[in-house]
């Protein structure tokens, strides 16, 4: 409204404001138009305060006053320049003045009357002075008088302004004095309002306190009581709100105690915040260090659509950016007056609190609370928001620790199953980086002789990796980690490394944690972790996880060592077994020597390997040399160490001028000296090789194998002789049996030649039925001996021309048992007893001596029964004539399943049809 009034005056009556300032008459009307337009834009901002350009429209009101200053600076007049300067400075610094500290207590009636009166007097004095002086200027053209009038007007304007400021300060002093007196007279009463009223533009409202005591004490008492009542009501509301917030905070702590997932923790926290403050939006944004951005993790409230999943913003913009930079909670109780605030789409936020979530001074995220009401948050609310931010951080840290502990235990299970050292140490580096959340991890491992054998890394830090790998023994940090008894942390590794032998790729790698890997109280390696991700330092929780990681790494290394040692031992044992087998299998001494030398060279990995073998007469039987180029015969023998080794029966080791050792081992047993095995090998390899410790075992194994080969050759020769003798004896036995049965058949003229024919026929039929060679031999001998029991039968019964009576048949039926008793006790004939005893049994059980039936009858006896019947039917007997083979088979088929085994009958019939029995049938 001031701009519009000034603009109209400049357009219609410039002298009323400017006086007779002729140099600016030409600019008065354009300046008046500018004043009028900016005044109208300011009115538009007041009419539509929620419109998007309202803030910019309101700011245009200061532009004409800036022009005013620029125009009148060259001809300075206090009455013209000073108001404009005051307005411009007020507008520029309005948001930076601490208005809340200037707000007085409850206004007094006198103050309410005095302030308007003072303002009216001030205005009337200005108008009166201006009118009087302008009227004087209207009646004179004297330049001196006009200059004097202008000076007097400026002096009057300045004096009135100074007087007004002084009166204002006097009113404040009197007001505070009266307030103090009232408070001291009524202890326990505070007239200060806990929540200060503010105007919509963010500045504190002008409220003055009592400047003079009331003449009526009852009015003072009433005012005091009203203040006390308002204070009590306010305090009660504050306590209720505080209690509700503390209850929700305790509930949040309980909910977060069993949660380990960051998004779930964040969502629970924003839900509690939204319930506590009933605000439009609560959100937690996670800080991404690498991208310098904040990404929303969880949100709640009616305005949650303004921050959809995946929403992200720069960590350097807005009030959020300010809180991130300053690492302090930021409050905006009127966001329109905060130059850093930017409005989210479809949001009308008037109050905002941003609390940073910090860990060791490092930003982890921010907690955002927005409200559509101005002045929505007080100091108690801020404390609650910061407490919830702290609870979120503690829950995140606890969840991170539990998650990393679980992953470490799970990784330890898989780590223990890795049997290759290279794979194990690489996996240790990866697990250490994940568990400790380090930027770079370097792992070194010593071998069982204390030398650096393997290294691995995880993460990207090429310069640091290079400085660690070049010479680990030269780094004090590396040696400190190897020699440490426990895990230790270093804040800045650059200060620890005084010799500057470590080259860091960037300063974020400066924090360090060293983890010794100890096995049975001995250091076998170390894990070096550099740079904590999303933090400045490694924590105590990282240290506790590092202790567990050290134990798991030691167990994994020991497991891989044991596996490799076992594998090496098994490989050596396999080679030695194969060597023994090959030595025994080879016939020539040169072949044996080549196998031994090649295997020894493979095991010991020497430059040269050689062997010399002697025969029984002490002469050289074979001499072989082996190198990386291959095998060669008749190498140059180191006779002096070979002879010394054979004379002392001990291993001989001699040095040379080229860091090589000449090693010779005698090959000897208790019975003789077989030769010697010698090597040319590097000294370091000899003393560090696991195979060298078992080399004497190999030499002993070779000597035993050579001894066994000699014994085997002798045993094979003797076995061949025994086998030949046994076969001759067996033939003699068979010939004796055949002669014996021929003699028996000669005694029984009716069956002469019967046993030999049946023996051959039964063996042929048994072969058709798939009997083994041993069973065929038993069947043939049993068939020869089946009637040996007839030796015990009287000749009168055996050679009786007619049929036998019942008593004679009873005697005749005893010959199977008699035959079994005859061969009992003869080792090579005991297998024939079932045939001899049961050759007269029948399939239907009508036979003798035991009346067995079916498969109760031994198979060999059943085979013999069929062949015996065929030979008997086709042979001439005193009591009947022979019949043809066809008639005999018809009879046998008729009795198949009655007297004979059907399967055997069918096999016999097939052989007869094919002519396989033609040479055995009379």
């Amino acid at each position: 409204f001031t701009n519009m009034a000034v603009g109209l005056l400049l357009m219609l009556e410039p002298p009323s404001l400017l006086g007779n300032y002729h140099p600016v008459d030409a600019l008065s009307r354009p300046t008046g138009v500018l004043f009028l337009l900016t005044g109208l834009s300011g009115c538009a901002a007041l009419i539509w305060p929620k419109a998007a350009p309202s803030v910019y429209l309101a700011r245009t009101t200061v532009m004409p006053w800036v022009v005013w200053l620029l125009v009148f600076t060259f001809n300075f007049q206090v009455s013209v320049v000073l108001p404009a300067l005051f307005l411009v400075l007020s507008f520029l610094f309005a948001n930076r003045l601490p208005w809340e500290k200037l707000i007085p207590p409850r206004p007094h009636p006198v103050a309410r009357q005095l302030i308007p009166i003072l303002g009216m007097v001030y205005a009337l004095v200005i108008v009166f002075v201006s009118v009087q002086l302008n009227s004087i200027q209207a009646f004179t053209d004297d330049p001196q008088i006009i200059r004097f009038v202008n000076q007097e007007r400026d002096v009057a304007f300045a004096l009135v302004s100074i007087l007004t400021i002084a009166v204002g300060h006097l009113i404040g002093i009197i007001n505070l004095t009266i307030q103090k007196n009232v408070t001291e007279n009524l202890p326990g009463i505070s007239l200060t309002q806990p929540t200060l009223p503010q105007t919509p533009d963010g500045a504190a409202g002008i409220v003055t306190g009592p400047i003079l005591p009331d003449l009526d004490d009852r009015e003072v008492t009433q005012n005091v009581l009203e203040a006390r009542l308002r204070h009590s009501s306010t305090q009660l509301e504050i306590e209720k709100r505080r209690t509700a917030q503390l209850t929700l905070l305790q509930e949040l702590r309980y909910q977060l105690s069993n949660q380990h997932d960051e998004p779930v923790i964040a969502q629970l926290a924003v839900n509690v915040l939204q319930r506590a403050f009933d605000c439009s939006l609560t959100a937690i944004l996670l800080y991404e260090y690498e991208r310098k951005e904040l990404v929303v993790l969880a949100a709640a409230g009616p305005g949650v659509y303004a921050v959809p999943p995946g929403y992200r913003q720069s960590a350097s913009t807005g009030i959020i950016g300010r809180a991130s930079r300053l690492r302090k909670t930021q409050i905006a109780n009127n966001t329109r007056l905060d130059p850093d605030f930017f409005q989210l789409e479809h949001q009308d936020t008037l109050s905002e609190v941003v609390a940073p979530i910090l860990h060791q001074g490092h930003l982890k995220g921010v907690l955002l609370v927005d409200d559509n009401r101005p002045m929505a948050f007080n100091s108690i609310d801020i404390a609650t928001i910061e407490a919830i931010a702290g609870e979120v951080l503690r829950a995140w840290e606890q969840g991170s620790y539990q998650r990393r502990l679980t992953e470490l235990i799970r990784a330890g299970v898989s780590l223990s199953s890795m049997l290759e050292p290279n794979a194990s140490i690489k996996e240790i580096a990866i697990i250490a980086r994940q568990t400790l959340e380090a930027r770079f991890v370097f792992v070194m491992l010593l071998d069982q002789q204390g030398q650096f054998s393997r290294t691995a890394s995880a993460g990207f830090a090429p310069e640091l990796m290079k400085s660690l790998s070049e010479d680990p023994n030269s780094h004090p940090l590396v040696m400190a980690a190897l020699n440490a008894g426990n895990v230790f942390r270093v804040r800045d590794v650059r200060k620890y490394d005084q010799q500057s032998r470590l080259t860091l790729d960037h300063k974020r790698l400066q924090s360090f944690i060293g983890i010794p890997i100890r096995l049975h109280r001995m250091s076998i390696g170390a894990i070096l972790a550099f740079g904590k991700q999303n933090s400045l330092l490694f924590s105590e929780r990282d240290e506790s996880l590092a202790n567990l990681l050290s134990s798991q790494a030691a167990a994994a290394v020991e497991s891989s060592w044991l596996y490799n040692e076992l594998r090496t031992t098994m490989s050596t044992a396999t080679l030695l077994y194969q060597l023994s087998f090959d030595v025994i299998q080879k016939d020539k001494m040169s072949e044996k020597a080549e196998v031994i030398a090649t295997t020894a060279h493979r095991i010991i990995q020497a430059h040269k390997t050689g062997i010399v073998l002697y025969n029984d007469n002490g002469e050289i039987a074979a001499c072989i040399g082996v190198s990386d180029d291959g095998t060669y015969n008749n190498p140059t023998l180191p006779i002096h160490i070979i002879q010394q080794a054979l004379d002392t029966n001990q291993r001989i080791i001699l040095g040379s001028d080229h860091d090589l050792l000449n090693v010779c081992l005698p090959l000897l047993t208790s019975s003789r000296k077989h030769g010697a095995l010698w090597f040319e090998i590097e000294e370091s390899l000899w003393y560090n090789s696991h195979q060298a410790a078992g080399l004497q075992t190999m030499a002993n194994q070779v000597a035993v194998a050579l001894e066994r080969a000699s014994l085997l050759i002798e045993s094979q020769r003797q076995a061949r002789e025994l086998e030949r003798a046994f076969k001759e004896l067996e033939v003699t036995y068979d010939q004796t049996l055949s002669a014996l049965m021929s003699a028996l058949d000669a005694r029984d003229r009716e069956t002469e030649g019967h046993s030999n024919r049946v023996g051959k026929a039964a063996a042929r039929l048994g072969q058709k039925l798939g009997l083994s060679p041993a069973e065929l031999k038993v069947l043939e001998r049993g068939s020869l001996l089946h009637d040996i029991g007839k030796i015990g039968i009287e000749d009168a019964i055996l050679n009786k021309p007619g049929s036998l009576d019942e008593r004679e048949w009873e005697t005749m039926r005893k010959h199977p048992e008699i035959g079994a008793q005859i061969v009992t006790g003869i080792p090579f004939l005991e297998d024939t007893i079932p045939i001899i005893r049961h050759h007269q049994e029948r399939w239907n059980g009508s036979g003798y001596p035991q009346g067995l039936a079916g498969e109760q009858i031994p198979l060999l006896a059943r085979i013999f029964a069929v062949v015996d019947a065929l030979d008997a039917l086709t042979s001439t007997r005193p009591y009947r004539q022979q019949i043809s083979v066809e008639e005999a088979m018809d009879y046998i088929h008729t009795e198949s399943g009655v007297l004979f085994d059907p399967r055997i009958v069918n096999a016999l019939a097939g052989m007869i049809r094919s002519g396989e029995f033609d040479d055995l049938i009379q």
Side-chain angles (χ1 to χ4, degrees), residues 367-522:
L367 182 57
L368 174 70
V369 184
D370 288 349
D371 202 299
N372 295 335
R373 299 164 293 183
M375 306 297 297
F377 306 105
N378 55 31
S379 59
I380 298 176
D381 299 335
I382 304 305
T384 302
I385 293 172
E386 291 178 342
I388 290 178
E391 291 298 326
V392 169
L393 177 62
R394 280 190 290 273
W396 278 356
E397 289 299 307
Q398 181 65 26
S400 174
Y401 178 77
Q402 293 293 335
R403 173 182 53 79
R404 290 186 290 157
L405 179 60
T406 302
E407 291 177 355
L408 178 58
I409 294 173
R410 186 181 298 112
V413 175
S414 62
L415 185 62
S416 62
S417 62
M418 291 190 174
L419 303 177
E420 288 294 334
N422 290 332
S424 297
I425 193 172
K426 182 63 178 176
E427 188 67 16
I428 289 172
I430 296 173
I431 293 173
R433 184 169 184 264
Q434 294 174 348
T435 301
L436 302 176
E437 295 180 342
R439 297 181 181 276
F440 179 76
V441 170
F442 181 78
V443 181
M444 63 188 68
L445 190 65
L446 305 179
D447 58 20
Q448 292 172 315
Q449 283 71 40
Q451 301 295 323
F452 286 96
S453 61
R454 295 178 178 87
T455 61
S457 64
F460 182 75
E463 294 297 328
L464 179 57
M465 178 67 183
K466 181 180 179 181
S467 63
L468 290 171
S469 302
E470 286 179 350
D471 186 9
N473 291 311
S474 65
H475 291 289
L477 191 67
V478 174
M479 299 310 298
L482 286 172
N483 299 326
N486 297 299
V487 176
F488 66 97
R489 292 175 288 158
V490 176
R491 180 182 293 271
D492 191 346
V493 74
R494 295 172 297 182
K495 297 179 180 179
Y496 191 91
D497 184 19
Q498 298 296 333
Q499 299 177 354
S500 300
R501 294 182 178 178
L502 284 176
T503 304
L504 299 182
D505 296 76
H506 45 77
K507 65 179 182 179
R508 293 190 295 273
L509 294 171
Q510 64 188 17
S511 59
F512 170 80
I513 183 169
I515 309 168
I517 304 176
R518 299 179 65 84
L519 182 62
H520 306 307
R521 300 183 180 180
M522 295 181 61

Side-chain angles (χ1 to χ4, degrees), residues 620-635:
I620 295 178
C623 184
I624 298 293
V626 180
S627 66
D628 294 337
D629 298 330
T631 304
Y632 53 94
N633 296 320
N634 300 320

Side-chain angles (χ1 to χ4, degrees), residues 531-552:
K532 176 71 172 178
Q533 296 179 16
N534 300 323
S535 185
L536 297 176
L537 304 172
F538 291 100
S539 63
E540 292 182 359
R541 289 183 173 178
D542 295 324
E543 188 173 332
S544 64
L545 291 174
N547 283 312
L548 179 58
L549 175 62
S550 175
S551 301
Q552 290 186 344

Side-chain angles (χ1 to χ4, degrees), residues 730 734 737 777-785 828-829 832:
E730 191 174 17
D734 291 338
L737 291 176
K777 179 59 70 175
V778 172
L779 179 60
E780 185 177 1
R781 289 176 178 173
S783 300
L784 285 173
L785 298 173
F828 77 101
L829 295 178
T832 63

Side-chain angles (χ1 to χ4, degrees), residues 594-833:
E594 183 176 356
V595 169
I596 296 170
T598 304
T599 304
H601 186 75
R602 179 180 176 185
I603 292 176
I604 200 63
Q605 298 179 355
H607 283 197
K608 295 180 180 180
T609 304
I611 187 173
V612 59
L613 297 178
Y614 299 101
N615 56 21
D616 296 339
N617 300 324
E619 299 174 350
I620 295 178
C623 184
I624 298 293
V626 180
S627 66
D628 294 337
D629 298 330
T631 304
Y632 53 94
N633 296 320
N634 300 320
T636 302
L637 297 177
I639 298 297
H640 60 290
I641 63 172
I642 292 176
Q643 192 61 44
Q644 188 176 358
L646 292 175
D647 292 341
T648 60
N649 296 335
Q650 293 181 354
R651 181 173 58 191
I652 303 299
I653 302 175
L654 297 177
S656 65
D657 298 333
H658 304 286
D659 295 329
L660 296 176
L661 294 178
N662 292 316
V663 182
C664 183
L665 291 88
L667 304 177
L668 52 87
T669 60
S670 58
S671 61
R672 56 171 290 193
K673 296 179 180 180
H674 296 275
L677 188 66
W678 76 90
F679 305 93
E680 187 177 286
I681 188 172
E682 293 181 5
E683 184 176 356
S684 60
L685 183 61
W686 169 261
Y687 289 113
N688 292 333
S689 175
H690 296 289
Q691 304 299 339
L695 190 58
Q696 187 63 53
T697 303
M698 189 194 71
N700 297 337
Q701 186 80 6
V702 169
V704 172
L706 291 171
E707 184 80 12
R708 290 179 59 191
S710 299
L711 294 176
L712 181 61
I713 294 173
E714 182 65 22
S715 298
Q716 290 175 346
R717 184 185 62 78
Q718 294 178 0
R720 287 193 294 269
E721 292 179 357
L722 289 173
E723 183 179 4
R724 185 168 56 254
F726 179 77
K727 288 182 178 180
E728 293 177 357
L729 181 60
E730 191 174 17
V731 171
T732 303
Y733 284 159
D734 291 338
Q735 292 175 350
T736 302
L737 291 176
S738 179
L740 177 62
M741 296 314 299
S742 297
L744 183 61
D745 289 343
R747 180 177 173 233
D748 186 1
R749 292 184 297 272
E750 297 179 359
T751 60
E752 185 175 1
H754 169 69
S755 296
N756 286 325
R757 291 194 306 273
V758 172
K760 294 178 182 179
R764 193 171 297 178
L765 180 58
Q767 186 176 8
K768 183 70 174 180
L769 292 171
L771 297 182
S772 64
E775 290 175 326
L776 293 175
K777 179 59 70 175
V778 172
L779 179 60
E780 185 177 1
R781 289 176 178 173
S783 300
L784 285 173
L785 298 173
H786 73 283
D787 279 341
I788 194 173
K790 290 183 178 180
I791 294 176
I793 305 299
E794 300 174 2
D795 291 341
I797 298 174
L798 190 63
N799 297 321
K800 184 177 180 180
S803 60
L804 302 178
D805 57 22
E806 186 62 29
R807 184 187 63 80
E808 291 171 341
W809 269 115
E810 184 177 353
T811 301
M812 182 63 75
R813 291 189 184 99
K814 294 179 180 180
H815 80 273
E817 288 290 349
I818 296 172
Q821 293 175 3
I822 291 173
V823 298
T824 299
I826 302 175
F828 77 101
L829 295 178
E830 285 187 349
D831 293 338
T832 63
I833 292 177

